[in-house]
């Protein structure tokens, strides 16, 4: 039982079939966490007591003949920007202090409803701003494939938790690549759903028009299982929606892609990527070709050229607004001061880290009168063009195959004095957020160095299940993501 | 040549919409008198991770007011975030409609001394209210170190902001505008329009145009908490601005604060710094799409508007301007009146009775018309008897009183009051007439001599007879009996 972490699907049927207990599974997960956390720092809060209680509840449910749900006894980790009732939710920031939300995020409710057991809250770049998971009040996260390297960000803790085998499934959030980039860096699958496909209720907002919650997993089957649980409209999130009820699990089982067209992005062909990542694209294309897909040439020129500046106007603008509420008056950190304005200034000065301050300042600037049209209005126009460009691309392709990242994971401390360098690493992921599309990083293998390769699949809006199908085909060819041993056991 | 001035007044009125729940969350809205921070949730506290969901009822009421004001309601409107830091604003932004308001370009008639004037309405938009600061001391005493607490019960209450065109030129017009708007929202059931409790709030914009071509800056006056305060603030501000201009000074564009206790306004900032609210579209709410069927449904729900009613009372019913205005002030009263007429009362007598008897009871008891102890049906039937002459006004008043006191229907009340309409006739009636004539020889003599040309004395005598018999005779019968007795007396004298 303790030897090898199991897939979610395996755990759920074992627990439901009383082949093993949820308490055993969760205990094993907690042991792995205890053993590796000193090295990885992937979790901000380990919820051992609550998790064991919850597992015992599921065992009782099974014993009394109840339906424990499709994720019965499956230990999961959720990013620490997802609210958990009564459990501290920090966003990796000093600002929230030990704030304990009075409510659960919608996805937390849905996971628990499905029988999953939350064992921990994962470390992250403060308020999800960053691509390395180094910008956390709780210290940097290490990459389980190579602890001298970053796991990517901002959902680095969730990606690392799955790669290290703490849990088969973790949730992250993706605003400009915060699921897909750490998935690529940690060698796991990571899916950012269509904007609006998964409820944001209880996700502490970074940039509301871009944020989406999505899963990490080591197998496509587990990814599908999780999507079946969290996908769908939530009346508490007015931007959420749904188009039918796709059956993700079925798509993973019977991935028929024959006769479809895979778009290969012209601009990403040569010179942009580290060689093994470029090869991963080629190999994936070959595999899809073998499964009956035709390759199509598509262009994302505008996304490549203007996506980055557009994103770095819209996302800080929304962030500056979303983060304005942290004034020390109601919750979180409060610096004592004789009046409201001094309290506001002192609290925000002490509570936010440099990267967050940088984005708040940028955002306030681009929204201020006199600059608004030059920056914000222009960015909105560019965003429309990027959407249109993807729409055009999807007239000649059913899915787009492109890189998620251009390099292997960075060494820690690489971007300490180069924030723009870090921003640039989001080049392949953020256009997908700007267009509101579903995108998935699919693990394609480990190099001899132990570092992972991957590809990114992008589908039209509301075609999230298409990602699962193509990913299943690729997974068949390249194998599923193995648990990182990190050389220590 | 002496300088003359023209005053330009525009008003921004916030009305609290009568919804059961707040604009973006399910919290209840009847927070007045409740424990501070008892009607709150993650959404209206702006807790991290919370998201707004728009209250459809608020949209409905907003559209209702807009349609009544003749505004156009565009198919798509949008919510924006208006940013500023203040402890009563939990998210540090207010969700409001800035770029694309719910409705635009309407107008409302106001009446001054019977004359009608139309005031333009620039726009109507929806927004959320903020919390309330409670200043006090830690131990609740009035003196000592002060602390400020915040009550978020009001945070997120739905407001409609109605912005007028600068079409008014006197405090009187501003007053009529506010009163008309209040009457309207009450008619529509869209708001209780109560200024004292803050469900209707007014910000005043006032400026001066001088005959020498100079134009004073527009001054916004805040903190006017009653219609009277608004008039006083305007009067003060108009003379202040004129004095400044007369002395060759400049009126600066600024926001001033009305101090009701010393009757003056004061500048709130040393120098006016332009607030930058950094508006941008609220990304947590999709654009608000209002289709034709929604509009049609709201339109169907619109009552006859107060000014339409007033005009109909005046033109069709022939009521005086004053009566028409009094009787259209409250929708429930106007409807009571119309139902009374529908149940047989004449328009004139119904109007008279409603504006005197009914209104008196309402004012004395403070109840609504639906709590009156009699129905428009019974009042209508009662007044029909008065109109046909089978019951005197006096007798009817007595019956109404019994109906009110005992809660009885018309027939029963008349029985109880011992009144049988037209029941006194023949000898009984003759007896009563004789008694009155004999008791009032002077008046009788005057009538007999034919010098009562206006018929006043005769009417007086007739009234006395009616009183004597508690109005229980047909007017025609009484008149005939008097004639008969007078003839007898004439014959006797001849
Ligand atoms: Zn609320």
């Amino acid at each position: 039982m303790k030897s090898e972490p199991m897939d979610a699907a395996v755990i759920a049927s074992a627990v439901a079939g009383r082949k093993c207990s949820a308490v055993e599974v969760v205990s094993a997960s907690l042991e792995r966490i205890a053993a590796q956390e000193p090295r990885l720092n992937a979790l901000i809060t380990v919820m051992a007591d609550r998790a064991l209680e919850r597992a015992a509840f599921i065992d009782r449910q099974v014993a009394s003949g109840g339906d424990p749900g499709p994720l019965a006894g499956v230990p999961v980790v959720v990013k620490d920007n997802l609210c958990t009732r009564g459990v501290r939710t920090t966003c990796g920031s000093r600002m929230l202090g030990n704030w304990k939300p009075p409510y659960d995020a919608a996805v937390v409710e849905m996971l628990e409803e499905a029988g999953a057991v939350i064992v921990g809250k994962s470390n992250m770049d403060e308020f999800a701003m960053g691509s390395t998971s180094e910008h956390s009040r709780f210290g940097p996260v290490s990459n389980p494939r190579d602890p001298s390297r970053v796991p990517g960000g901002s959902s680095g803790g969730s990606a690392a938790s799955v790669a290290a085998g703490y849990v088969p499934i973790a949730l992250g959030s993706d605003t400009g690549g915060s699921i897909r980039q750490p998935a690529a860096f940690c060698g796991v699958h990571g899916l950012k759903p269509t904007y609006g496909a998964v409820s944001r209720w209880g996700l502490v907002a970074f940039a509301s028009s871009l944020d989406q919650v999505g899963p990490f997993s080591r197998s496509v089957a587990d990814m599908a299982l999780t999507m079946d649980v969290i996908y769908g409209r939530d009346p508490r999130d007015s931007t959420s929606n749904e188009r039918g009820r796709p059956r993700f699990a079925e798509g993973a089982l019977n991935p028929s892609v024959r006769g479809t067209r895979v778009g290969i992005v012209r601009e990403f062909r040569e010179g942009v990527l580290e060689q093994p990542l470029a090869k991963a694209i080629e190999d994936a294309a070959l595999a899809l070709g073998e499964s009956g897909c035709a390759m199509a040439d598509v262009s994302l020129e505008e996304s490549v050229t203007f996506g980055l500046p557009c994103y770095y106007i819209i996302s800080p603008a929304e962030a500056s607004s979303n983060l304005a509420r942290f004034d020390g008056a109601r919750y979180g950190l409060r610096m004592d001061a004789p009046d409201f304005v001094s309290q506001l200034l002192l609290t925000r000065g002490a509570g936010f880290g440099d990267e967050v301050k940088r984005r708040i300042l940028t955002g306030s600037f681009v929204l201020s009168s006199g600059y608004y049209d030059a920056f914000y209005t222009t960015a909105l126009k560019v965003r429309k063009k990027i959407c249109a460009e993807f729409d055009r691309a999807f007239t000649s392709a059913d899915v787009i195959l492109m890189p998620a990242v251009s390099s292997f994971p960075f060494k820690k401390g690489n971007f300490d004095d180069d924030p723009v360098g870090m921003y640039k690493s989001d080049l392949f992921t953020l256009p997908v957020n700007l267009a509101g599309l579903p995108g998935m990083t699919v693990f394609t293998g480990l190099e001899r160095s132990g570092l992972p390769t991957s590809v990114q699949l992008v589908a039209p809006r509301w075609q999230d299940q298409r990602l699962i199908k193509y990913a299943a085909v690729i997974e068949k060819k390249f194998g599923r993501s193995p648990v990182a041993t990190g050389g220590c056991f | 040549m002496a300088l003359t001035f023209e005053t330009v007044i525009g008003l921004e009125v916030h009305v609290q919409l009568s919804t059961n729940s707040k604009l973006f969350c399910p919290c209840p809205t009847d927070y007045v008198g409740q424990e501070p921070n008892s009607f709150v949730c993650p959404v209206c506290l702006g807790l991290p991770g919370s998201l707004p969901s728009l209250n459809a009822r608020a949209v409905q009421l907003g559209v209702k007011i807009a349609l009544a004001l003749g505004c156009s309601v565009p198919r798509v409107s949008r919510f924006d975030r208006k940013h500023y830091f203040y402890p009563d604003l939990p998210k540090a932004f207010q969700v409001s409609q800035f770029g694309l308001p719910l409705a635009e370009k309407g107008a409302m008639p106001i009446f001054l001394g019977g004359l009608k004037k139309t005031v333009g309405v620039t726009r109507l938009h929806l927004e959320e209210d903020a919390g309330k600061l409670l200043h006090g001391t830690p131990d609740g005493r009035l003196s000592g170190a002060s602390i400020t607490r915040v009550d978020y019960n009001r945070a997120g209450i739905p407001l409609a902001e109605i912005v007028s065109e600068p079409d008014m030129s006197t405090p009187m017009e501003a007053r009529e505008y506010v009163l008309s708007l209040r009457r309207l929202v009450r008619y529509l059931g869209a708001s209780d329009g109560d200024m004292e409790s803050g469900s209707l709030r007014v910000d005043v914009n006032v400026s001066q145009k001088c005959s020498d071509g100079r134009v004073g800056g527009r001054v916004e006056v805040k903190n006017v908490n009653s219609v009277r305060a608004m008039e006083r603030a305007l009067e003060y501000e108009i003379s202040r601005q004129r004095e400044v201009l007369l002395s060759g000074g400049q009126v600066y564009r600024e926001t001033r604060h009305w101090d009701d206790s010393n009757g003056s306004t004061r500048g709130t900032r040393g120098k006016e710094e332009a607030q930058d609210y950094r508006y941008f579209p609220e990304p947590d709410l999709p654009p608000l799409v209002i289709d034709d069927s929604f509009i049609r449904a709201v339109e169907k729900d619109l009552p006859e508007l107060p000014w339409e009613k007033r005009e109909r009372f005046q033109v069709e019913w022939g009521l005086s301007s004053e009566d028409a205005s009094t009787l259209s002030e409250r929708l429930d009263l106007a409807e009571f009146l119309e139902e009374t007429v529908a149940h047989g009362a004449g328009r004139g007598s119904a109007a008279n009775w409603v504006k005197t008897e009914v209104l008196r009871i309402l004012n004395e008891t403070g109840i609504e018309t639906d709590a009156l102890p009699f129905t428009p049906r019974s009042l209508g039937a009662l007044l029909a008897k008065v109109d046909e002459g089978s019951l005197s006004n006096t007798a009817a008043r007595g019956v109404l009183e019994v109906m009110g006191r005992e809660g009885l229907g018309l027939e029963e009340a008349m029985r109880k009051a011992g009144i049988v309409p037209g029941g006194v006739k023949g000898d009984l009636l003759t007896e009563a007439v004789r008694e009155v004539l004999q008791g009032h020889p002077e008046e009788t003599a005057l009538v007999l001599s034919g010098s009562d040309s206006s018929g006043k004395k005769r009417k007086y005598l007739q009234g006395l007879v009616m009183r004597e018999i508690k109005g229980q005779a047909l007017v025609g019968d009484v008149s005939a009996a008097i004639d008969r007795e007078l003839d007898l007396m004439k014959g006797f004298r001849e």
Side-chain angles (χ1 to χ4, degrees), chain B residues 37 48 60 67 90 119 121 138 161 163 177 240 268 274 381 386 442 445 477 483-484:
Chain B
N37 298 312
Q60 223 170 27
L67 293 178
V119 177
V121 170
E161 179 173 342
V163 182
Y177 175 83
R240 185 191 70 84
T268 49
V386 175
E442 270 176 50
D477 288 357
D483 282 344
R484 253 190 336 270

Side-chain angles (χ1 to χ4, degrees), chain B residues 22 25 27 40-41 44:
Chain B
K22 293 187 181 180
C25 64
C27 289
V40 292
C41 73
C44 54

Side-chain angles (χ1 to χ4, degrees), chain B residues 287-303:
Chain B
L288 172 57
V289 178
I290 294 174
D291 57 20
D292 287 347
S293 66
F294 187 93
I295 301 229
R296 273 197 301 275
V298 176
E299 244 164 8
K300 254 175 84 181
D301 201 28
L302 277 182

